[in-house]
Amino acid sequence: MGTILPNSMHTSAAAKDEEANLPKQLDAGALFVLKSRGSWLHCGYHLTTSIVAPALLSLPLALSLMGWFPGVLCLTLLALVTFYSYNLLSLVLEHHAQLGQRQLRFRDMATDILGPGWGRYFVGPIQFGVCYGAVIACILLGGQSLKSIYLLSTSSRTMQLYQFVVIFGILMLILGQIPSFHNLRHINLVSLILSLAYSACATAGSIYIGNSKNAPAKDYSIKGGAQNRVFGSFNAILIIATTYGNGIIPEIQATIAPPVKGKMLKGLCVCYTVVVSTFFSVAISGYWAFGNNQAPGIVLQNFIVNDEPLLPTWVLLMTNAFTILQVAAVSVVYLQPTNEAFEKKFVDAKIEQFAIRNVVPRLFFRSLSVVVATTVAAMFPFFGDLNAILGAFGFIPLDFVLPMVFYNVTFKPSKQTLIFWGNTLIVVIFTLLALVGTISSIRQMILDANTYSLFANVVMAALRIPPDNDNCSSNTFESSLCFVFDGLHHAQLGQGQLRFRDMARDILGPEWGKYFVGQIQFGLCYGAVVALTLLGEQSPKFIYLLSRPKGRMQLYQLVMIFGILMLILVQIPSFHSLRHINLVSLILCLAYSACATAGVIYIGYSKNAPKKNYSIKGSAQNHVFGSFNAIAIIATTYGNGIVPETQATIAPPVKGKMFKGLCLSYAVVISTFFSVAISGYWAFGNQSQGTVLANFMVNEKPLLPTGVLFMTKDEEANLPIQLGAGALFVLKSRG
C-alpha cells in the first residue's frame, strides 16, 4: 500500500514537476514560437512559404541538365519522397510529445533520439547553415528582382547588382524584427497567394514566348560531353532537392496548438497542393519554351534578351514585384531558427517579449544577422550554384536522410517490413547522392567564371598591398603583444588558456567563447584553408600552362590534385610536429617574395614595362568602396586568428618567448610585405591584378624568363602547408 503524502507535499511535488517543464515552454514562447497556438491552416501557410520559394524558378534549368523524362521523373519522385519524409517526421514528433518529450527544434529531436552529440555537432550546425544560406540566397534573389525592375523602368545602367542587394537587405532589416512564427501567419498567407501569382506569371510568360515569333529554337539535347552530363545531372537533382527542401519541420510543428495529432498532415496537404501546381507548371513550361538555352539562375532571366523584354513590360514588372514580396516572407521564415540560436542565451523568457530587456538584444542580433547575410549576398552573385550547395550540404541530410533514421530508431519497425527497407534504401541513396553532389556542386562553382573571378580577386589579393601599410603593421604587432601579455597574466593565475575561445570564456563569460569567438575563429580558420587550397592550385595551373600552353586540364582538376596533397599533410598531428615544415615555409616565403620583388623591378625597367599610372580608377563612389576593400585586404594579410593556440605550444616558462617569436615574425613580415607592395605598385600602378604574379604574363606571354616563373610558383605552392595542423594541435607545450 502506497504512502499517503500530506497535501502540502503533493502541492510541492506538483510545483516541482511544473517547474521542470517550465523552461522548455518559456524558452519557446519567448523566441520563435510565442506559445503554441496555431491551427493546421497556419501550419500550412508556414510550410508553403518555406518550401514554395522563388527557388522554384530554377527548375527549368534543372530539367535542361537532365532532359524531359529523367527531369520530370526526378521532379515527381522527390515530391513523393519529401511528402513521405515530412509525414514521418511529424509522426515521430507526435510520438515523443505523447511521451511528455515535446521537441521544439530539429536539434532537440536529434539529441533525444540519437544522442547529444548529434544535436550539438551535426544537426544544429547543418540546420543553421541551411537556414542562413537560404536567407542569403533569398536576399540575392530579391536584389536580382529589384535590378530587373530598375532595368525595365529606366534606360540608366549606372546601378550595380550589389546596390540592389543592399536595398533589399534594408527591407529585411525591418521585416527581420518580426518576433515569431505566430506573428507571421497572415504574412505567410499572403506569401502563399504571391507564390501562386508569380508562378502563374512565369508559366504564362514562358508559354507566350514559346509560341511567339521571338521563341528560341527548341533544342532539348543536353549540352557538353559525357562528363558534363553526369555532373550536370547530379547538379540538377541537388537543385530539385533544394527546391523541395524545408529543414524546419519540427520548428513549424511546434507552432501548432495541442493536440497536434493529424494537424501537420492537413498542413502538408495544403502545402503540396500548391507545390505540385507551381513546381510542375513552371518547370515544364520553362523547359518547353527555352530548352537547353536556360539562363544560369532563374527562368525570369530568359524573358529579357540583349536588354529587350520578350513580354509586355507591365507583366515583367508585376512578376518581379510578386517575387520580391514573397522572397521577403521566405527570408523572415528562415531567419526565425537562426535568430533563436543567438537570442536564447541573451533574452529573458520569463518577462514580456517587448520589454526593453528583450527588445535590445533581439534588435542587435537580428540586425547583425541581416547585415552579414546581405554582405555575403552582395559578394557572391551565383544563385544557381548556391541552390546546389544548399541541397548537398543541408537539405538532403535534414529532409531526406534524418527523418527515415528518426522513424526507424523511434518505432523500430521489423526488418521484414517494407517500411524498414524502404527507409533504409532512401537513406543510402540520398547519402551517396549528397557525397557525389557535393563534388558536383563545388566543381560547378569553380567552373563559374564570375565566381572564380570573385574568389581570385578577394582571396589572392594578399600580395597586392597598397604602399601605406606601416600603421596597420604597428597595430597588429601591438594587438598580438596584448594577447601575449594577457595569456601570461592568466597563466600565472593558474588559468592557462590554450585557445582563443578559452580566453573569451574566462574573461568575458561562457557565452562569448561558445557562441561568438569559437564560431568566428572556426569560420576564419576553415575559410583560410578553403582560400589557400584555391590559391594553391593556381601555382600548378600556372606551371602547367607554361609547360603545355594548349593543355586540357580544367581548374577543378588541379584543385582536387592539390586537395589530395592536403589530405596527406593534414595528418600531421600537432603544431610541434610542424616546426621543421614551418621553418621551410618561412624560408620559402622569403624566397618567393624576393623573386616577386626582383621580377617586378626587372619588368618595371624593361622595354615591356606598362605605363606607370598611379591614379585611382572609377568614380568617387568606387574610390570610397575601393579604400575600404584595400583596408580589408591589408587587415586580412596581417591577420592571424590563432595567437593563443600558437602560444600554447611554447614550453614553460613562456615569459619573453612569444615576444621574441613576434619580433622574428615581424622581421619577415616587414621585409616581405613592404618590398612586394611598394615594388609591385611602382611597376604596375593601377594595373595591378589579383596577385602581382598575374602581371608577369601579358596575352599568355611571360615577361620574365620561364625558369624564374617556374621557381616562383614552385615556392608559392608550398605556402598552404602550414595549415595542415592535426586535431590535437599542441601535443604538449614543448616549442
Side-chain angles (χ1 to χ4, degrees), residues 382-662:
F382 44 98
F383 183 73
D385 294 338
L386 192 56
N387 256 353
I389 287 287
L390 286 175
F393 284 100
F395 285 116
I396 286 181
L398 293 179
D399 295 329
F400 295 86
V401 175
L402 283 174
M404 315 300 165
V405 174
F406 288 165
Y407 185 89
N408 281 1
V409 172
T410 299
F411 292 103
K412 297 180 175 57
S414 170
K415 293 184 179 180
Q416 280 74 43
T417 59
L418 182 62
I419 192 169
F420 174 84
W421 287 108
N423 290 349
T424 304
L425 182 63
I426 291 173
V427 168
V428 172
I429 290 174
F430 281 95
T431 300
L432 293 174
L433 179 61
L435 294 174
V436 179
T438 299
I439 298 172
S440 171
S441 55
I442 292 175
R443 170 185 178 271
Q444 187 60 41
M445 284 185 64
I446 294 173
L447 289 176
D448 188 308
N450 292 330
T451 306
Y452 174 70
S453 173
L454 172 76
F455 274 105
N457 289 333
V458 174
V459 171
M460 300 192 302
L463 291 181
R464 193 185 67 182
I465 308 171
D468 54 342
N469 59 2
D470 53 337
N471 185 52
C472 190
S473 175
S474 61
N475 286 344
T476 53
F477 183 86
E478 181 183 1
S479 65
S480 298
L481 202 57
C482 288
F483 273 121
V484 173
F485 289 140
D486 186 76
L488 285 173
H489 172 72
H490 283 273
Q492 290 169 357
L493 297 176
Q495 295 176 325
Q497 296 155 334
L498 300 177
R499 305 169 185 84
F500 220 130
R501 60 183 182 271
D502 294 343
M503 293 189 72
R505 181 198 63 213
D506 293 344
I507 298 169
L508 301 177
E511 289 84 4
W512 284 89
K514 181 179 289 188
Y515 299 106
F516 185 73
V517 174
Q519 281 84 346
I520 289 178
Q521 189 191 34
F522 179 84
L524 175 66
C525 292
Y526 202 71
V529 173
V530 174
L532 288 172
T533 301
L534 182 63
L535 178 60
E537 57 74 30
Q538 284 296 298
S539 300
K541 179 188 176 185
F542 197 92
I543 295 170
Y544 176 73
L545 292 177
L546 284 174
S547 307
R548 300 185 62 184
K550 297 183 179 180
R552 295 184 177 180
M553 287 189 71
Q554 301 294 317
L555 182 64
Y556 75 91
Q557 294 171 309
L558 294 167
V559 172
M560 294 177 69
I561 292 171
F562 190 82
I564 292 171
L565 171 64
M566 291 305 300
L567 274 176
I568 301 170
L569 292 175
V570 295
Q571 308 308 321
I572 297 173
S574 71
F575 270 125
H576 191 68
S577 307
L578 282 171
R579 61 195 184 282
H580 302 306
I581 292 178
N582 284 341
L583 171 61
V584 175
S585 174
L586 185 153
I587 297 169
L588 286 173
C589 75
L590 288 170
Y592 73 70
S593 298
C595 289
T597 303
V600 165
I601 295 172
Y602 175 87
I603 294 172
Y605 280 116
S606 72
K607 63 180 181 180
N608 296 318
K611 184 179 179 180
K612 294 178 175 62
N613 184 353
Y614 302 116
S615 63
I616 302 175
K617 295 179 180 179
S619 62
Q621 184 186 46
N622 287 337
H623 289 188
V624 173
F625 281 106
S627 297
F628 282 109
N629 202 40
I631 294 170
I633 290 170
I634 296 172
T636 301
T637 311
Y638 278 107
N640 184 286
I642 52 172
V643 170
E645 286 80 0
T646 303
Q647 184 162 327
T649 67
I650 301 175
V654 178
K655 189 174 183 180
K657 295 179 182 178
M658 191 68 175
F659 178 74
K660 294 177 182 177
L662 276 173

Side-chain angles (χ1 to χ4, degrees), residues 109-425:
M109 291 190 73
T111 298
D112 293 345
I113 298 171
L114 301 179
W118 285 89
R120 178 176 294 179
Y121 301 111
F122 184 73
V123 173
I126 286 179
Q127 189 192 34
F128 180 85
V130 163
C131 291
Y132 205 65
V135 172
I136 293 170
C138 286
I139 292 176
L140 175 58
L141 183 54
Q144 289 176 341
S145 297
L146 281 173
K147 182 182 178 183
S148 297
I149 292 176
Y150 169 76
L151 295 176
L152 290 167
S153 304
T154 177
S155 58
S156 174
R157 296 292 184 269
T158 57
M159 292 186 69
Q160 304 296 317
L161 176 60
Y162 76 89
Q163 294 170 304
F164 294 104
V165 171
V166 171
I167 292 171
F168 189 82
I170 293 171
L171 170 64
M172 289 308 305
L173 272 176
I174 301 169
L175 294 176
Q177 308 306 324
I178 296 175
S180 74
F181 272 119
H182 193 67
N183 298 115
L184 281 173
R185 61 195 185 282
H186 302 306
I187 291 177
N188 285 341
L189 171 59
V190 176
S191 171
L192 185 154
I193 297 169
L194 287 171
S195 67
L196 290 169
Y198 71 71
S199 299
C201 290
T203 302
S206 295
I207 295 172
Y208 176 86
I209 295 171
N211 286 319
S212 71
K213 62 180 181 180
N214 296 318
K218 292 181 173 59
D219 183 0
Y220 302 117
S221 62
I222 302 174
K223 296 179 180 178
Q227 185 185 49
N228 285 336
R229 294 184 183 188
V230 172
F231 281 111
S233 296
F234 281 108
N235 226 34
I237 296 171
L238 291 176
I239 290 173
I240 297 174
T242 302
T243 310
Y244 279 109
N246 183 286
I248 52 175
I249 290 289
E251 286 78 1
I252 291 176
Q253 184 156 331
T255 67
I256 301 175
V260 178
K261 189 174 183 180
K263 294 179 181 178
M264 190 68 170
L265 179 60
K266 294 179 182 178
L268 278 171
C269 290
V270 170
C271 173
Y272 269 76
T273 300
V274 181
V275 164
V276 172
S277 62
T278 55
F279 284 23
F280 282 76
S281 62
V282 171
I284 293 172
S285 64
Y287 185 44
W288 169 80
F290 303 105
N292 59 17
N293 294 310
Q294 295 290 333
I298 58 177
V299 72
L300 298 183
Q301 292 172 334
N302 290 97
F303 291 0
I304 300 176
V305 177
N306 298 325
D307 291 336
E308 292 293 328
L310 302 180
L311 289 174
T313 303
W314 67 269
V315 176
L316 294 175
L317 289 172
M318 185 172 62
T319 305
N320 280 286
F322 290 156
T323 303
I324 290 169
L325 293 173
Q326 206 257 347
V327 83
V330 175
S331 298
V332 177
V333 166
Y334 277 104
L335 275 171
Q336 296 300 322
T338 59
N339 289 336
E340 190 258 354
F342 287 112
E343 292 172 15
K344 68 174 186 175
K345 294 295 181 181
F346 300 96
V347 174
D348 189 349
K350 298 178 182 178
I351 62 177
E352 208 273 326
Q353 58 166 315
F354 294 112
I356 296 296
R357 169 68 179 79
N358 286 341
V359 169
V360 172
R362 179 185 295 132
L363 181 65
F364 173 77
F365 283 111
R366 294 190 178 205
S367 299
L368 178 64
S369 179
V370 172
V371 168
V372 172
T374 302
T375 303
V376 174
M379 290 175 59
F380 301 99
F382 44 98
F383 183 73
D385 294 338
L386 192 56
N387 256 353
I389 287 287
L390 286 175
F393 284 100
F395 285 116
I396 286 181
L398 293 179
D399 295 329
F400 295 86
V401 175
L402 283 174
M404 315 300 165
V405 174
F406 288 165
Y407 185 89
N408 281 1
V409 172
T410 299
F411 292 103
K412 297 180 175 57
S414 170
K415 293 184 179 180
Q416 280 74 43
T417 59
L418 182 62
I419 192 169
F420 174 84
W421 287 108
N423 290 349
T424 304
L425 182 63

Side-chain angles (χ1 to χ4, degrees), residues 56-84:
L56 71 91
L57 298 173
S58 293
L59 290 176
L61 171 64
L63 262 61
S64 72
L65 296 173
M66 300 181 74
W68 273 117
F69 179 74
V72 175
L73 179 63
C74 183
L75 202 61
T76 305
L77 288 176
L78 290 188
L80 296 173
V81 170
T82 51
F83 185 89
Y84 172 71

